[in-house]
């Protein structure tokens, strides 16, 4: 079985789907591992390290004769066109945002596993790439804020006087939000957090932060995620959050609804009430933004605050992000191999749940309805 590791081609992407230390377990599974030259360079994994680990390094594309392809970002239609019928791909596919890629996978007869679709159940935790990459992104958001804030995060009591700690507010208490809370606390900030799911209150408190309770109904979705809110509720939530945002030195937004644009939590008018020098980091900028006006990869001045639109957040820390991601894809791949042969068992709920396309059909029902509804 020939397994190819793609060199990521999208601008800003520095991760790789497999590190050299993760090659040997796949060789033991029966794979001939092929790495596209330069695939791991930005994650500090040179070609020589892969060769020493037992992989074959090739110049140019390794897609055409691969049985399995590992990738990070979604494959482009041109890449998919190189794959043989029946090939297996494992990586992020962002099906709701990249329908052309899904159509290409279907047309090519590729069996594509989307890391976004891995079921959120106990036995699939080691395969949950959304969680592993959110961990990295949440940590990075706080570092970005700390570098821009013209104040200390921690309390300092000195002979020259006392410097009060920074006040940080985190909106969204999923994995990224909880990691942002933990990191801000480690740096010494006083942290508050809000999430539409009251069930997240205990997790927030366990990180040492104060959970903000608003007089609003709960919004709890499937799999522990939040679901979309009505326009009236969103407006009322903004009104109630405004005084908390006004007193924050740092605002970090991490809210997401799977398969949907990011919910708009913060308006320009709300930001204009923040003090001069305040920093706002919008982790959701690439998916529409939690904050009005945020632009991925850009710093924008809004009143006295700096609005940072995060882009490629996990890729800014490619070594550990790749380490975690490589473990995720490897664990999923193990479910697809029996006795050194590919054996895709759709009776396995993880395999079935993560599969996007197979044998010329779209297996993920919401994606199928979206695409076929668009006459795809």
């Amino acid at each position: 079985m020939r397994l190819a590791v793609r060199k990521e081609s999208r601008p800003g992407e520095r991760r790789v789907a497999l590190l050299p230390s993760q090659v040997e377990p796949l060789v033991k599974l029966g794979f001939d591992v092929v790495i596209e030259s330069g695939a791991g360079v930005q994650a500090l994994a040179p070609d020589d390290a892969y060769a020493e680990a037992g992989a074959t390094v090739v110049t140019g594309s390794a897609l055409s004769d691969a049985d399995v392809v590992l990738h990070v970002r979604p494959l482009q239609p041109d890449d998919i066109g190189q794959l043989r019928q029946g090939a297996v791909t494992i990586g992020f596919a962002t099906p709701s945002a990249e329908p052309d890629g899904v159509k290409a996978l279907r047309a090519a007869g590729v069996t594509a596993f989307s890391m976004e679709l891995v079921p959120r159940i106990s036995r699939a935790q080691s395969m949950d790439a959304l969680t592993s990459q959110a961990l990295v992104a949440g940590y990075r958001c706080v570092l970005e804020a700390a570098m821009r804030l013209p104040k200390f995060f921690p309390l300092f009591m000195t002979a020259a006087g006392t410097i009060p700690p920074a006040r940080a507010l985190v909106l969204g208490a999923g994995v990224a939000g909880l990691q942002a809370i933990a990191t801000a606390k480690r740096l010494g900030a006083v942290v508050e957090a809000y999430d539409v799911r009251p069930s997240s209150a205990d997790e927030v408190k366990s990180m040492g932060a104060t959970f903000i309770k608003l007089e609003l109904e709960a919004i709890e979705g499937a799999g522990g995620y939040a679901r979309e809110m009505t326009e009236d509720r969103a407006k009322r939530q903004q009104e109630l959050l405004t005084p908390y945002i006004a007193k924050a030195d740092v605002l970090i937004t991490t809210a997401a609804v799977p398969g949907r644009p990011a919910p708009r939590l913060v308006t320009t008018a709300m930001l204009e009430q923040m003090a001069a020098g305040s920093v706002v980091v919008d982790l959701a900028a690439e998916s529409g933004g939690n904050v009005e006006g945020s632009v991925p990869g850009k710093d924008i001045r809004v009143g006295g605050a700096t609005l940072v639109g995060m882009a490629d957040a996990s890729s800014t820390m490619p070594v550990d992000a790749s380490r975690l991601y490589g473990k995720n894809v490897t664990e999923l791949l193990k479910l697809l191999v029996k006795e050194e042969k590919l054996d895709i068992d759709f009776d396995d709920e993880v395999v079935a749940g993560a599969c996007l396309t197979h044998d010329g059909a779209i297996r993920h029902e919401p994606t199928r309805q979206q695409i076929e509804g668009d006459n795809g």
Side-chain angles (χ1 to χ4, degrees):
M1 297 182 293
R2 189 175 179 87
L3 182 147
V5 177
R6 182 79 169 124
K7 179 181 179 181
E8 299 298 319
S9 59
R10 297 209 181 191
E13 183 53 68
R14 300 168 63 195
R15 292 169 292 179
V16 63
L18 198 73
L19 290 177
S21 62
Q22 297 162 333
V23 169
E24 184 178 354
L26 296 185
V27 172
K28 290 181 177 178
L29 278 177
F31 286 106
D32 174 16
V33 180
V34 179
I35 310 291
E36 293 184 356
S37 181
V41 169
Q42 295 193 77
L44 305 184
D47 290 348
D48 289 349
Y50 284 106
E52 290 172 6
T56 300
V57 180
V58 299
T59 301
S61 175
L63 300 181
S64 61
D65 57 355
D67 297 301
V68 178
V69 175
L70 303 184
H71 59 94
V72 181
R73 289 295 187 99
L75 295 174
Q76 298 294 293
D78 288 347
D79 297 326
I80 295 166
Q82 299 178 47
L83 299 172
R84 64 170 185 79
Q85 185 175 2
V88 173
T89 65
I90 301 177
F92 285 120
T94 56
S96 63
E98 305 214 12
D100 288 344
V102 178
K103 293 174 186 177
L105 290 166
R106 177 182 61 182
V110 170
T111 299
F113 290 92
S114 173
M115 298 306 290
E116 296 97 334
L117 303 182
V118 171
R120 297 179 66 84
I121 58 176
S122 296
R123 63 180 286 256
Q125 286 181 346
S126 63
M127 311 164 206
D128 189 349
L130 286 177
T131 290
S132 73
Q133 301 308 291
L135 181 81
V136 180
Y139 174 80
R140 184 70 187 198
C141 280
V142 178
L143 301 186
E144 295 290 339
M147 287 188 292
R148 291 168 173 81
L149 187 69
K151 301 167 63 175
F152 287 125
F153 261 51
L155 165 71
F156 281 112
M157 300 180 71
T158 76
T162 298
I163 298 175
R167 300 185 65 90
L169 172 60
V170 178
L171 301 184
V175 173
L178 291 172
Q179 184 57 34
I181 291 167
T183 304
K185 285 294 295 182
R186 290 189 198 106
L187 289 177
V190 174
V191 184
E192 294 181 306
Y194 172 72
D195 194 285
V196 295
R197 302 161 302 159
S199 60
S200 63
D202 288 342
E203 293 174 308
V204 167
K205 293 173 184 176
S206 73
M207 295 293 177
T210 300
F211 186 78
I212 296 172
K213 294 182 179 180
L214 303 181
E215 297 301 320
L216 294 167
E217 73 276 12
I219 299 183
E220 199 90 36
Y225 287 109
R227 59 180 172 82
E228 287 188 290
M229 66 181 80
T230 65
E231 184 176 342
D232 288 344
R233 190 198 187 283
K235 184 176 181 180
R236 179 59 178 157
Q237 178 177 288
Q238 290 170 354
E239 292 173 353
L240 294 174
L241 282 174
T242 296
Y244 294 97
I245 290 172
K247 67 181 182 181
D249 299 301
V250 170
L251 171 63
I252 295 174
T253 65
T254 69
V257 178
R260 303 284 186 178
R264 181 59 49 81
L265 304 180
V266 182
T267 65
T268 297
M270 296 164 75
L271 293 187
E272 288 174 343
Q273 297 193 40
M274 298 182 76
S278 300
V279 178
V280 180
V281 180
D282 186 356
L283 179 58
E286 289 181 303
S287 57
N290 294 146
V291 183
E292 182 181 3
S294 68
V295 178
K298 300 289 185 182
D299 285 18
I300 299 171
R301 296 289 292 181
V302 181
T306 298
L307 171 57
V308 182
M310 290 297 290
D312 304 304
S314 297
S315 291
T316 60
M317 312 199 80
V319 175
D320 287 328
S322 298
R323 188 188 318 279
L324 295 170
Y325 184 78
K327 175 67 172 178
N328 297 145
V329 296
T330 298
E331 291 300 312
L332 179 57
L333 185 57
K334 288 178 180 178
L335 294 182
L336 310 180
V337 177
K338 291 181 176 64
E339 298 180 357
E340 298 190 355
K341 292 182 180 180
L342 284 171
D343 184 3
I344 300 172
D345 179 11
F346 288 119
D347 289 333
D348 185 309
E349 64 180 321
V350 176
V351 174
C355 188
L356 177 60
T357 64
H358 173 69
D359 196 24
I362 299 172
R363 285 185 55 92
H364 182 241
E365 187 61 22
T367 301
R368 187 190 67 78
Q369 291 179 2
Q370 174 191 342
I371 288 177
E372 294 185 359
D374 292 339
N375 297 316

